[in-house]
């Protein structure tokens, strides 16, 4: 059962896609696919609207975000219903991942954008400071293309849009075709909040619309999705010398030390692996537990996992896999692991009691590092546990990966936690916590290795939607430059004396 199925249309007619619920497999509507021409029209409108928006003070732009926040709080049930219908996720997942984070992103950036985007004086070094002043002025890029995935369809469409708009840009947003209405909510929200026409257009469609957006002539692409598509987007951007931020897949390791609070660590492993049914880029996807505590830790993880409930309505903990192809990937990884000797302690199969795309929460042991389940992004509710000799082996294996998005370390010793965290090659690390770094908006969030390029949050993320223009001002109105020529032997030797003084003497080195 495909969740997104092309509908046959007359030649030359606009393409259409039919959608089904991953929870019930029932039809839930259709979308029209935005064409290259639609993208071009939206871009033209964005270009018309953006200069006036960029000309407004940041505080005024922030007012739109505050209004959007009020509307979101008031209409959250309506918004949640759309997200739940398309993704099947439990209300609490939708509330925590989509709504809570969305409110927090709106408030966090609305409150701080003015300060983060304020032009600032930067002291110059050495003798340059005597003659020049430097101002750093964040200037909007123009029009930003935002392309988002299906796992967090509202927040991952909203957050980059909020930051790009606050920085003075217009946005063309292309949500995933798997969850288009959840992404479209972002457009509805900002229209209701009074965002001027043309500044934000939502373009529904699949990869073809996404590719058209990348090629349309925007000024930046902010992409969140898989490594494979991210690479294609990056290649297209490179050809056009277009900046892009890429937030891609992960295979987050969890390191459990011998001195960890095992109950908390087991709780963290279960929440980290099964939150959103494992469909989070920084889900815990592999555990390295020190031999001395491995049996007890595993026992507690299995006990908690067995208590999890899957369902379609009412109170339940885990929803379906949102995209059918992902379910096949999950099944493939588990099957290969079993074939190579892994043991299933619980789960390990589709849920036979539910019609939708449900995979039971699964714990695996006796895994080895050559299995896909330890190397490829599974993006599902599967937790493989590998017993290691000590923390050094855990860190070595954690780093033996092409991914580097997040990680988590569990220990009672704060110094050990920090030491191990900084030995792991990932964009962010939690100590005695998990899946939190995206929600701490102060923290620049971004992947290393194949997990991405650039940052989405923190001042670094917001400034990523700007060009930081350097304005160098001569303190003497250009008097020295006016006397620049003619060159002479005396001028040359004067310069050489200055160089010797600056970099060849103790006093000079103190000055520079
Ligand atoms: P995907 O790469 O299949 O699709 C992402 C988006 O790209 C969709 O909107 C899709 O329509 C569009 N797209 C497809 N082909 C395109 C093309 N040629 N040009 C431009 N756009 C194109 O990813 P997905 O399956 O929707 O999402 C799951 C992936 O996203 C996982 O790998 C997950 O780890 C990753 N993800 C990363 C983060 C992060 O912050 N690092 C967050 C959430 C999800």
């Amino acid at each position: 059962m495909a969740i997104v199925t092309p509908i046959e249309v007359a030649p030359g007619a606009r393409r259409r896609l039919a959608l089904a619920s991953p929870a019930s497999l029932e039809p839930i509507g259709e979308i029209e696919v935005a064409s290259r021409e639609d993208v071009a029209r939206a871009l033209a409108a964005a270009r018309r609207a953006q200069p006036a928006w960029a000309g407004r003070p940041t505080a005024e732009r922030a007012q739109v975000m505050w209004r959007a926040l009020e509307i979101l709080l008031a209409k959250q049930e309506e918004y949640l219903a759309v997200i739940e219908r398309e993704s099947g996720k439990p209300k609490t997942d939708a509330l925590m991942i989509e709504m809570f984070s969305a409110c927090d992103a709106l408030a966090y950036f609305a409150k701080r954008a003015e300060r983060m985007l304020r032009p600032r004086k930067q002291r110059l070094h050495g003798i340059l400071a005597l003659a020049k002043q430097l101002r750093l002025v964040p200037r909007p890029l123009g029009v930003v293309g935002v392309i988002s995935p299906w796992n967090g369809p509202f927040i991952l469409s909203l957050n980059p849009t909020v930051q790009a708009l606050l920085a003075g840009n217009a946005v063309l947003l292309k949500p995933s075709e798997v969850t288009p209405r959840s992404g479209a909510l972002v457009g509805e929200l900002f229209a209701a909040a009074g965002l001027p026409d043309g500044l934000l257009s939502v373009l529904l469609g699949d990869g073809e619309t996404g590719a058209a957006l990348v090629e349309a002539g925007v000024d930046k692409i902010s992409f969140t999705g898989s490594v494979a598509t991210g690479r294609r987007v990056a290649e297209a951007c490179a050809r056009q010398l277009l900046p892009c931020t890429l937030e891609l897949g992960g295979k987050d390791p969890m390191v459990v030390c011998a001195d960890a609070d095992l109950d908390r660590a087991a709780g963290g492993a279960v929440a980290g692996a099964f939150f959103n049914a494992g469909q989070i880029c920084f889900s815990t996807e592999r555990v390295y537990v020190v031999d001395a505590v491995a049996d007890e830790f595993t026992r507690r993880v299995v006990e908690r996992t067995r208590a999890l409930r899957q369902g379609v309505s009412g109170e339940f903990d885990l929803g379906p896999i949102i995209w059918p192809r992902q379910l096949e990937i999950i099944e493939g990884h588990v099957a290969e692991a079993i074939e190579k000797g892994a043991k299933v302690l619980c789960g390990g199969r589709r849920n036979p009691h539910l019609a939708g795309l449900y995979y039971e929460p699964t714990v695996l042991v006796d895994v080895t590092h050559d299995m896909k389940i330890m190397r490829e992004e599974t993006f599902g509710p599967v937790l493989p546990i590998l017993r290691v000799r000590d923390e050094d082996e855990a860190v070595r294996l954690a780093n033996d990966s092409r991914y580097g998005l997040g990680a988590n370390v569990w220990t009672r010793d704060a110094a050990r936690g920090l030491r191990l965290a900084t030995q792991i090659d990932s964009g962010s690390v939690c100590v005695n916590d998990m899946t939190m770094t995206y929600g701490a908006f102060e923290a620049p969030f971004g992947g290393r290795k194949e997990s991405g390029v650039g940052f989405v949050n923190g001042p670094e993320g917001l400034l990523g939607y700007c060009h930081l223009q350097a304005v160098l001002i001569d303190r003497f109105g250009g008097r020295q430059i006016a006397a620049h020529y003619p060159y002479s032997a005396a001028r040359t030797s004067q310069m050489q004396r200055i160089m010797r003084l600056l970099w060849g003497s103790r006093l000079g080195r103190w000055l520079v």
Side-chain angles (χ1 to χ4, degrees), residues 148-151 156 174 177 210 224-226 229 247-249 281 377:
S148 58
W150 46 259
N151 63 315
L156 296 172
K174 209 299 281 172
E177 64 277 25
T224 310
S226 64
T229 314
E247 292 296 333
L248 309 178
C281 52
E377 185 182 49

Side-chain angles (χ1 to χ4, degrees), residues 6 18 38 67 103 143 209 225 235 259 307 318 334 347 367 369 372 388 485:
D38 295 325
R67 280 202 294 279
C103 293
V143 181
T209 311
E235 283 166 1
D259 69 345
L318 263 78
V334 173
V367 290
H369 231 242
K372 283 184 185 160
V388 290
Y485 295 112

Side-chain angles (χ1 to χ4, degrees), residues 131-380:
K132 320 274 177 199
Q133 286 179 335
L134 177 62
R135 302 276 164 89
L136 296 178
V137 185
R139 305 272 309 271
L141 296 172
V143 181
V144 176
V146 172
I147 301 176
S148 58
W150 46 259
N151 63 315
F154 182 65
I155 180 64
L156 296 172
S157 301
L158 178 115
N159 189 26
T161 300
V162 166
Q163 295 181 46
L165 287 173
L166 273 170
N169 301 284
V171 173
L172 305 187
L173 165 64
K174 209 299 281 172
S176 169
E177 64 277 25
V178 181
T179 48
R181 302 265 173 241
S182 308
L185 289 174
V186 175
E188 291 166 29
L189 177 66
F190 282 113
L195 190 74
D197 280 352
L199 263 184
L200 169 61
S201 291
V202 180
L203 298 154
L204 300 187
D206 51 16
E208 213 174 285
T209 311
L213 176 53
V214 175
E215 300 286 351
V218 295
D219 302 297
K220 171 169 178 156
I221 292 291
S222 172
F223 174 85
T224 310
S226 64
V227 173
T229 314
R231 206 185 291 282
R232 277 200 292 279
V233 169
E235 283 166 1
C237 288
R239 194 169 12 83
Q240 303 170 76
L241 299 180
L242 193 61
C244 61
T245 303
L246 304 170
E247 292 296 333
L248 309 178
K251 188 77 194 167
D252 283 15
M254 171 179 191
V255 172
V256 185
C257 300
D259 69 345
D261 179 325
L262 287 191
D263 214 42
R264 290 192 188 174
V270 170
F274 303 133
F275 192 34
N276 212 33
Q279 300 163 104
I280 294 199
C281 52
F282 45 93
S283 288
T284 299
E285 291 232 352
R286 50 198 170 115
V287 176
Y288 303 101
V289 54
V290 168
D291 191 44
V293 293
D295 288 337
E296 183 54 21
F297 169 78
T298 306
R299 190 188 65 73
R300 293 185 197 206
V301 167
V302 171
E303 190 179 286
R304 284 170 182 264
T305 305
R306 288 210 172 111
L308 295 173
R309 300 154 302 169
Q310 284 187 304
V312 179
S313 60
E315 287 187 348
F316 59 99
D317 306 306
L318 263 78
I321 303 308
I322 300 169
W323 187 46
R325 172 78 190 104
Q326 201 64 47
L327 185 54
E328 288 165 17
I329 293 170
I330 297 164
E331 289 182 312
H333 286 189
V334 173
E336 191 233 32
I338 293 170
E339 204 182 292
K340 288 186 168 170
K343 193 167 150 205
V344 178
L345 295 186
C346 55
R349 58 175 189 175
R350 285 188 191 207
N351 188 322
H353 309 293
L354 296 168
L357 308 178
Y358 290 82
Y359 197 84
E360 290 183 346
T362 297
V363 179
L364 299 175
V365 289
D366 297 343
V367 290
T368 52
H369 231 242
D370 60 334
M371 297 175 179
K372 283 184 185 160
I373 205 76
M374 299 301 279
R375 306 203 72 82
E376 307 284 328
E377 185 182 49
T378 307
F379 219 56

